[in-house]
Amino acid sequence: MSGSTQQTRRVILASLIGTSLEWYDFFLYTTAATLVFPKLFFPSLDPFNAVLVSLTTNAVAFVARPLGGIVFGHFGDRAGRKTVLVVTLLVMGVSTFLIGVLPGYASVGVLAPILLAVLRFVQGLGLGGEWGGAVIMSLEHGDGRRRGFNASWPQVGVPAGYVLATGLLALMSFVMSDAAFLSWGWRVPFLLSGALVFVGLWVRLKVTESPLFEAVEQQGVKARMPLVEVLRTHPRALLSAFTARIGVDVAFYTFTAYIIVYITTVLELPRSYALNSVLIGSALQLALIPLAGALSDRYGRRPVYFAGVVGAAVWVFVFFPLLDTKSFPLIALAAVVALVTHAAMYGPQAAFIAELFSTRLRYSGASMGYQVAGIVGGALAPVIALQLFASYQSTIAVSIYVVIALAVTTVGLAIAPETRDLDLAESTEAAPGRKAPQVGPFA
């Protein structure tokens, strides 16, 4: 039932390319929300409030992501994984292209930020359905002993998308004047999404459906209302998936989004210091995330995940002092080590969350647990960090906030079973987590 090695590689490649393009689109907005949108869409506000409001529109996508997870998760468990993944890629690509042609406040007034928020919401819908499908397709194909490694490849789409998005924005900013960049240069990476989406579609249309989902179809046990059944039969799995992700998200957006605001507005350094530092760390993550996934196949999901939690909790207190040196090598070191700790968490996360749910409910359950956490974690992290620093004039408050979020993640890991050795093909009816042989914290 595992499928051929060639087909498994094709599925992993399709998932990686698709998620990279989706995250490219997503991070284009996140980065532009700190560098471009405050001036273009909120010019009447002072610089601090313009950035704050811009980051708030960025958070709209995180509210939309659970809705996307519900809608696309339902159809992923009912109609299949492959079809849904094609639709999510189209939704994301079209909305990103439209942002690239959106007029600014100077042209259409208040309608500009409203349309910006609407398109960001649509982006969130697409990404909300994308993650679950890409991870599950990779997880449900191939050797069961390599599920952590296989499922980690869609996670690589995050740093790959960040490198593509931030790299292109940095390049456009470098080769043209600030006036030209603010006028039209920032639009080019958004418009490119329209062309790149066809590459992703071409690859995705060549993959086969998940063999585990096909087995569910053959047995005639597809869920009629997947989300309702998830809430009824997998409440502990949902709680674990939700809490286990919160700290990872808060740490990541502090290390990659708030760093840009802090370096440019507090330290008054060139934005290239932040962008290039995060680019270096993200490039390293391209190798580190699959490595962490592979380690989770050997040592278990939770031990590797927990090692990253501890590392991030310690490093966040070193992170800001290194930024305060205003030395680019030390700023780069701060970002690189921070993203190494994130890779240790993010690598096993995909398999850990997806394996908590039975096959017939996996798309809905994994998507819901993962995406709802994004509202509490990633959506609010840069805004909360901004407000904490404004209130206390100290990065210690921001660091404590990150540690509290990581403590919540530790609880999520502790209440979950170790899922590495589960046979996902053994049953389509029961929740896999209930049959796990190890239940104690980090057993």
Side-chain angles (χ1 to χ4, degrees), residues 71-281:
V71 173
F72 292 116
H74 173 86
F75 289 106
D77 283 329
R78 291 288 302 166
R81 305 2 180 162
K82 177 181 173 179
T83 302
V84 170
L85 284 175
V86 171
V87 175
T88 58
L89 193 59
L90 283 171
V91 168
M92 193 70 162
V94 171
S95 58
T96 303
F97 179 85
L98 291 176
I99 290 174
V101 299
L102 196 63
Y105 186 90
S107 299
V108 295
V110 72
L111 182 62
I114 292 174
L115 290 175
L116 182 69
V118 169
L119 290 173
R120 184 56 168 171
F121 185 85
V122 176
Q123 278 192 322
L125 290 176
L127 190 62
E130 166 69 23
W131 180 87
V135 164
I136 289 167
M137 281 286 280
S138 299
L139 182 87
E140 293 181 346
H141 281 81
D143 188 345
R145 295 169 298 180
R146 294 166 59 87
R147 291 198 306 258
F149 177 73
N150 290 347
S152 71
W153 282 103
Q155 305 286 74
V156 176
V158 172
Y162 188 90
V163 168
L164 285 172
T166 310
L168 273 173
L169 283 173
L171 177 63
M172 300 302 296
S173 178
F174 177 76
V175 300
M176 59 182 57
S177 66
D178 285 347
F181 179 73
L182 286 172
S183 176
W184 61 270
W186 67 272
R187 298 180 183 274
V188 174
F190 284 85
L191 297 177
L192 281 175
S193 178
L196 292 174
V197 72
F198 287 104
V199 177
L201 287 174
W202 179 75
V203 175
R204 283 201 165 166
L205 289 171
K206 289 180 174 293
V207 302
T208 60
E209 182 56 85
S210 157
L212 291 180
F213 178 79
E214 288 180 336
V216 168
E217 282 193 308
Q218 292 170 5
Q219 295 172 29
V221 293
K222 287 192 296 185
R224 186 182 296 264
M225 296 293 292
L227 181 60
V228 174
E229 289 198 40
V230 167
L231 293 171
R232 180 172 57 85
T233 63
H234 293 63
R236 183 169 176 172
L238 274 176
L239 179 62
S240 178
F242 172 78
T243 52
R245 183 172 178 236
I246 287 176
V248 184
D249 238 21
V250 169
F252 178 75
Y253 283 96
T254 301
F255 294 148
T256 61
Y258 180 67
I259 185 178
I260 299 174
V261 178
Y262 186 75
I263 283 179
T264 56
T265 63
V266 178
L267 301 182
E268 298 182 339
L269 294 171
R271 59 176 173 257
S272 61
Y273 275 42
L275 293 176
N276 292 337
S277 296
V278 177
L279 275 173
I280 294 169

